[in-house]
């Protein structure tokens, strides 16, 4: 079956632009996670959804970062007024148990 | 708070040789433990996981890991590596029974298999 998909795979933004990153989880997966992976680092937790409820957003680095999952399936991570330090790979994962299934990520480059 | 330490940023090894990638963790609560592999420009793929029970866990592609509670370690091993095993390997933990099961990752170890 289909895995987790993310779009776009690559995004180049000028500093100050807003971006929106999409995640399509595996069908039926209740839990959805967003992680940020800086170059040469391990992924770091951003936020967690259970169905449409955002239960944990403790990892969001600033109020410029916003995530939503309005119908409990597709999720969007939005970054407003992008800064160079936002350059990273953004990974989405979904799960129904202890195992998280990861998408290929979106590589965001802010110039 | 939890943390994961992968002391080796890069491990060079010759093809068909054995390898061990080290992982130590810190946590005040019981944890689940995971090893993920990441190939270039791809997402993370689960190699194996420890939830409970036997401390020796076998995973895909011939990898295995042993949970050692007293040493708070979860080292990854393979008796004979292949060129295709070249990738970045991440150790991760999550809280047992935690509200979110979010993963805390180490900084990764690059396994570089040479012919």
């Amino acid at each position: 079956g289909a895995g987790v998909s993310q779009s776009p795979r690559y995004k180049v933004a000028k500093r100050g632009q807003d971006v929106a990153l999409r995640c399509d989880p595996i069908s039926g997966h209740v839990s959805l996670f967003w992680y940020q992976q800086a170059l040469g680092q391990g992924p770091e937790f951003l936020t967690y959804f259970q169905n449409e409820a955002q239960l944990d957003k403790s990892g969001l680095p600033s109020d410029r970062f916003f995530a939503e999952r309005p119908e409990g399936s597709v999720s969007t991570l939005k970054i407003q007024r992008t800064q160079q330090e936002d350059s990273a790979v953004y990974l989405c994962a979904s799960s129904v148990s202890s195992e998280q299934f990861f998408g290929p990520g979106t590589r965001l480059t802010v110039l | 708070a939890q943390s994961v330490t992968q002391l080796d940023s890069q491990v060079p090894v010759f093809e068909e040789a054995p390898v061990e990638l080290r992982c130590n963790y810190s946590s005040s609560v019981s944890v689940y433990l995971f090893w993920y592999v990441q190939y270039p420009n791809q997402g993370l793929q689960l190699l194996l996981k420890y939830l409970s029970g036997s401390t020796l866990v076998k995973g895909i592609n011939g990898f295995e890991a042993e949970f050692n509670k007293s040493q708070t370690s979860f080292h990854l091993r393979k008796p004979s590596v292949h060129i295709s095993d070249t990738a970045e390997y991440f150790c991760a933990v999550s809280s047992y029974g935690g509200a979110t099961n979010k993963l805390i990752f180490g900084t990764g170890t690059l396994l570089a298999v040479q012919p």
Side-chain angles (χ1 to χ4, degrees):
Chain A
V4 178
S5 61
Q6 293 185 246
S7 61
R9 289 292 314 276
Y10 303 90
K11 177 68 178 178
V12 179
K14 292 183 179 179
R15 189 173 55 184
Q17 281 185 332
D18 297 348
V19 298
L21 312 180
R22 177 188 170 105
C23 172
D24 284 82
I26 294 172
S27 179
H29 279 196
V30 169
S31 299
L32 186 145
F33 302 80
W34 283 97
Y35 294 87
Q36 179 191 58
Q37 186 176 17
L39 188 64
Q41 300 297 315
E44 293 191 356
F45 170 79
L46 292 176
T47 188
Y48 163 71
F49 289 87
Q50 186 176 87
N51 295 307
E52 69 278 6
Q54 188 176 19
L55 299 185
D56 187 344
K57 52 182 180 179
S58 61
L60 296 177
S62 77
D63 58 7
R64 296 186 296 104
F65 286 71
F66 172 77
E68 60 183 4
R69 194 185 185 197
E71 297 180 358
S73 55
V74 171
S75 177
T76 303
L77 176 67
K78 299 179 179 178
I79 309 174
Q80 297 177 324
R81 305 180 303 281
T82 53
Q83 304 293 316
Q84 284 190 321
E85 61 262 29
D86 300 334
S87 294
V89 175
Y90 291 85
L91 295 166
C92 175
S94 69
S95 76
V96 290
S97 62
S98 59
E99 179 177 351
Q100 294 183 26
F101 295 84
F102 283 82
T106 294
R107 182 177 298 277
L108 173 65
T109 302
V110 182
L111 303 177
Chain B
Q2 299 162 327
S3 65
V4 176
T5 301
Q6 293 181 249
L7 289 173
D8 305 306
S9 61
Q10 187 169 351
V11 173
V13 63
F14 288 107
E15 193 173 18
E16 298 183 6
V19 71
E20 178 179 84
L21 306 183
R22 296 181 294 169
C23 172
N24 288 85
Y25 70 93
S26 174
S27 177
S28 57
V29 299
S30 297
V31 295
Y32 296 142
L33 294 154
F34 306 82
W35 275 99
Y36 283 85
V37 60
Q38 187 175 38
Y39 298 101
N41 297 317
Q42 294 187 27
L44 298 164
Q45 180 183 6
L46 182 68
L47 277 177
L48 49 77
K49 61 184 176 183
Y50 172 79
L51 304 181
S52 64
S54 173
T55 56
L56 182 63
V57 181
K58 294 189 182 297
I60 62 172
N61 301 340
F63 284 93
E64 64 180 31
E66 185 157 18
F67 170 55
N68 188 318
K69 188 174 182 179
S70 63
Q71 297 185 4
T72 59
S73 68
F74 191 55
H75 301 331
L76 181 70
R77 303 184 182 98
K78 186 170 184 178
S80 176
V81 295
H82 303 289
I83 293 289
S84 59
D85 292 324
T86 295
E88 191 85 25
Y89 291 79
F90 292 96
C91 181
V93 301
S94 69
S95 297
Y96 171 78
T100 69
N101 286 332
K102 63 185 178 185
L103 292 170
I104 307 299
F105 286 89
T107 52
T109 297
L110 175 62
L111 176 62
V113 182
Q114 306 165 28

